[in-house]
Amino acid sequence: MPKILFVLTGADFWTLADGTKHPTGFWAEEAAAPYEALTAAGYEVVVATPGGVVPTVDKSSLAPEFNGGQEGADKVAATLDSMTELQHPLRLEDVDLADYAAVFYPGGHGPMEDLSVDATSGALLIEALNSGKPLAVVCHGPAALLAATEADGSNAFAGYRVAAFTNEEETQSGFADKAKWLLESRLVEAGVDVQVGEPWAPKVIVDRNLITGQNPASSAPLAERLLETLR
């Protein structure tokens, strides 16, 4: 059974501009929807985090208002409960890309805290990009791209068309004026060609072997594009 690597944040907080530690982690739907699609298609999911810490789900991402109602929230929670892989993650430092058919990074504000500056993750992203294997990243997951620095100091994803959580979405979520930095702005500064779609509407961009999604609503469509690429 071919394996797909899910790289999740190990952070359970996001440090805001005033030093406050906002509780967070990974966003439930962004892990659950792709997991369901990929495992249903016969792929084995392996989870890795920095240091092999058990990842924390952002509790707010389990709320009915973010899952289309209570039924949707219950479904996402049940999927996470079934993901035993979450309880036994690999150390990101021990991952061998050769073992996997593809790599996927879900979001949540957690990656803004750790993966955005994680050199091991950055090196894995560069290796995945250069390998030609499908690399899928959604919502705040593209924060990890900021750590993908080449030897000359440039970003490996400079010039790539990417969808990521937008400044407008961060503003509407109430965090834009509290954050140390905004994902869309920082990606643009790194030379990434951020493609901005309508707030909260699904948007998936494919550029070479890189597949990116803008927001939680993009996670299921992104998984479908990933599966199409793998077929």
Side-chain angles (χ1 to χ4, degrees), residues 2-5 43 97-103 132-135 226 230:
K3 298 178 182 179
I4 295 180
L5 181 70
Y43 290 90
L97 181 64
D99 295 336
Y100 304 97
V103 178
K133 293 182 177 183
L135 172 60
L226 175 56
L230 286 164

Side-chain angles (χ1 to χ4, degrees), residues 27 29-30 60-61 65-67 108-109 138-140 163-176 184 195-204 213-221:
W27 197 260
E29 180 184 5
E30 295 167 22
S60 63
S61 70
E65 58 264 36
F66 293 121
N67 292 285
H109 279 117
V138 70
C139 199
H140 286 91
F165 201 70
T166 66
N167 290 354
E168 178 60 28
E169 287 167 324
E170 203 70 87
T171 298
Q172 292 184 18
S173 70
F175 285 106
E184 177 191 333
Q195 305 282 300
V196 177
E198 289 296 316
W200 313 110
K203 184 177 183 64
V204 175
Q214 179 171 310
N215 46 36
S218 306
S219 57

Side-chain angles (χ1 to χ4, degrees), residues 205-222:
I205 296 289
V206 180
D207 188 347
R208 289 156 276 188
N209 59 318
L210 178 65
I211 308 165
T212 51
Q214 179 171 310
N215 46 36
S218 306
S219 57
L222 176 141

Side-chain angles (χ1 to χ4, degrees), residues 1-6 31-47 82-85 99-104 133-134 211 222-231:
M1 184 183 295
K3 298 178 182 179
I4 295 180
L5 181 70
F6 276 37
Y35 178 86
E36 285 195 319
L38 295 167
T39 54
Y43 290 90
E44 177 185 348
V45 167
V46 176
V47 171
S82 74
M83 291 176 65
T84 56
E85 299 89 348
D99 295 336
Y100 304 97
V103 178
F104 170 58
K133 293 182 177 183
I211 308 165
L222 176 141
E224 289 306 314
R225 291 303 296 269
L226 175 56
L227 282 170
E228 290 172 11
T229 305
L230 286 164
R231 289 188 183 110

Side-chain angles (χ1 to χ4, degrees), residues 7-210:
V7 179
L8 271 67
T9 176
D12 59 7
F13 65 86
W14 175 35
T15 306
L16 302 179
D18 66 357
T20 302
K21 292 184 176 181
H22 175 71
T24 187
F26 70 89
W27 197 260
E29 180 184 5
E30 295 167 22
Y35 178 86
E36 285 195 319
L38 295 167
T39 54
Y43 290 90
E44 177 185 348
V45 167
V46 176
V47 171
T49 63
V53 302
V54 174
T56 298
V57 63
D58 188 318
K59 298 297 189 293
S60 63
S61 70
L62 297 171
E65 58 264 36
F66 293 121
N67 292 285
Q70 189 62 53
E71 183 178 347
D74 291 344
K75 183 174 182 293
V76 167
T79 299
L80 291 187
D81 286 344
S82 74
M83 291 176 65
T84 56
E85 299 89 348
L86 290 171
Q87 302 306 314
H88 307 282
L90 298 179
R91 295 173 71 251
L92 189 55
E93 298 82 353
D94 296 335
V95 164
D96 183 349
L97 181 64
D99 295 336
Y100 304 97
V103 178
F104 170 58
Y105 278 67
H109 279 117
M112 300 276 281
E113 183 72 24
D114 62 351
L115 296 180
S116 64
V117 293
D118 190 294
T120 300
S121 172
L124 176 66
L125 285 166
I126 293 173
E127 186 182 3
L129 195 65
N130 293 339
S131 74
K133 293 182 177 183
L135 172 60
V137 193
V138 70
C139 199
H140 286 91
L145 308 187
L146 297 170
T149 306
E150 301 279 17
D152 63 2
S154 65
N155 189 280
F157 293 88
Y160 276 78
R161 294 182 302 112
V162 168
F165 201 70
T166 66
N167 290 354
E168 178 60 28
E169 287 167 324
E170 203 70 87
T171 298
Q172 292 184 18
S173 70
F175 285 106
D177 60 348
K178 301 175 183 176
K180 287 183 178 180
W181 48 272
L182 298 178
L183 179 56
E184 177 191 333
S185 296
R186 187 64 67 84
L187 288 170
V188 170
E189 290 171 9
V192 178
D193 182 6
V194 179
Q195 305 282 300
V196 177
E198 289 296 316
W200 313 110
K203 184 177 183 64
V204 175
I205 296 289
V206 180
D207 188 347
R208 289 156 276 188
N209 59 318
L210 178 65

